[in-house]
Amino acid sequence: TREPPAGGGGGEEDSAAVGRTCVIAPGPEATSGMVAAMVQTRPKDVIEFDCGYLELDTGFQITNTEDVLVKGCGRDETVLSFKNSQAQEGFLAINVRGLTVEDLTVLDPPGDAFKLKGVNHGTLTRVRAMWSSGRLSEDEDTITADNYADKLNVASVTPHWPPDATPAIAPPAPA
């Protein structure tokens, strides 16, 4: 669903300054809604994945645009499942200047979860990439629309450096 630009008039000047918002909801039309948003993306647009588990049968791809925000409701609340996708990547951006992806999980893509090629000023914030099991094996225990709220709660490791230790990748020393 496209929403008109915020701020009133709806004139060309306002549209260019603000961009449009496309909201993609979970359900049988999620893939077609996502594809429509990808094809129509213009500079300053927002592509918003609604809260829930979205089963998508193709990857997300945007190309040759700028200043785009792709967002969800939070990495535990918005899950983009690419388990049945025919595309190699879950999320692919090519030749984009100014891209922010935030607050979502990319689940079970066939290959890369996030791939940014020729992206200048790309930011991934509060996102998760996750492969839930053995991909079509007999003993797999995949994450689904019915169980994602429970199964996404996976303990993560946050390194805690002792005060006198230097991490393997240290910031440059001040000049």
Side-chain angles (χ1 to χ4, degrees):
T1 309
R2 289 277 177 190
E3 297 175 5
E12 189 62 35
E13 187 175 316
D14 288 340
S15 179
V18 177
R20 304 162 300 166
T21 297
C22 179
V23 179
I24 302 158
E29 302 301 317
T31 297
S32 60
M34 179 185 73
V35 170
M38 294 179 330
V39 170
Q40 298 174 36
T41 299
R42 297 189 311 214
K44 299 187 181 358
D45 278 357
V46 175
I47 299 174
E48 182 176 343
F49 288 94
D50 210 353
C51 302
Y53 185 92
L54 292 86
E55 294 186 47
L56 304 164
D57 47 0
T58 191
F60 180 90
Q61 178 178 334
I62 56 172
T63 58
N64 302 322
T65 190
E66 60 185 48
D67 297 328
V68 174
L69 170 62
V70 179
K71 68 179 188 173
C73 300
R75 63 183 173 199
D76 291 331
E77 289 79 29
T78 299
V79 177
L80 310 182
S81 173
F82 294 99
K83 180 174 181 181
N84 297 314
S85 174
Q86 301 305 308
Q88 186 63 23
E89 288 85 14
F91 184 97
L92 175 62
I94 301 172
N95 298 331
V96 178
R97 183 177 184 277
L99 170 67
T100 300
V101 181
E102 63 186 26
D103 297 318
L104 55 83
T105 291
V106 169
L107 181 68
D108 291 327
D112 297 326
F114 294 95
K115 190 169 196 173
L116 309 180
K117 294 174 66 174
V119 172
N120 193 3
H121 303 289
T123 304
L124 303 175
T125 304
R126 297 177 306 276
V127 298
R128 175 189 297 138
M130 193 170 180
W131 289 263
S132 65
S133 79
R135 190 136 179 95
L136 305 178
S137 66
E138 284 186 31
D139 62 341
E140 70 180 341
D141 184 21
T142 58
I143 295 173
T144 66
D146 295 329
N147 67 18
Y148 79 94
D150 294 326
K151 292 198 176 236
L152 285 180
N153 294 318
V154 176
S156 63
V157 177
T158 302
H160 297 283
W161 302 103
D164 60 342
T166 303
I169 302 173

